Amino acid sequence: MLLFILIFAARTTAQEHQHDDHHEQLGEVSFAVSCAPDAQKEFNRGVALLHDFWYAESEKTFSNVAAMDPQCAMAYWE
């Protein structure tokens, strides 16, 4: 969790660039968490975005996961 906080603290405006086709460029991630099945898929997308340095988009995705499943503790990772 500390690593995640440090990554967000160190991000720069240049790293928050926007791409139109970023969904098609993401790799596949399987990060098992105890969330609802539909939230799990969205959570994996958030991790893939994070690993591809899409910080702003991953933050939105984790917020969406928390809205989908408020009991999913990992959604509050951000």
Side-chain angles (χ1 to χ4, degrees):
M1 181 147 159
L2 180 59
L3 177 60
F4 188 78
I5 293 169
L6 291 174
I7 289 171
F8 269 84
R11 72 182 180 195
T12 64
T13 304
Q15 291 174 324
E16 294 184 29
H17 56 279
Q18 296 294 319
H19 294 287
D20 294 332
D21 298 324
H22 71 282
H23 298 285
E24 297 162 342
Q25 297 174 8
L26 292 175
E28 191 172 319
V29 174
S30 179
F31 193 103
V33 293
S34 58
C35 303
D38 56 337
Q40 173 71 62
K41 183 177 179 181
E42 188 72 359
F43 183 87
N44 285 341
R45 180 178 173 271
V47 173
L49 287 164
L50 181 64
H51 283 241
D52 203 30
F53 303 104
W54 287 86
Y55 300 123
E57 188 66 25
S58 69
E59 186 174 5
K60 291 177 198 173
T61 303
F62 289 125
S63 293
N64 188 35
V65 171
M68 293 169 76
D69 183 359
Q71 299 301 314
C72 180
M74 290 297 288
Y76 302 96
W77 211 14
E78 58 178 309

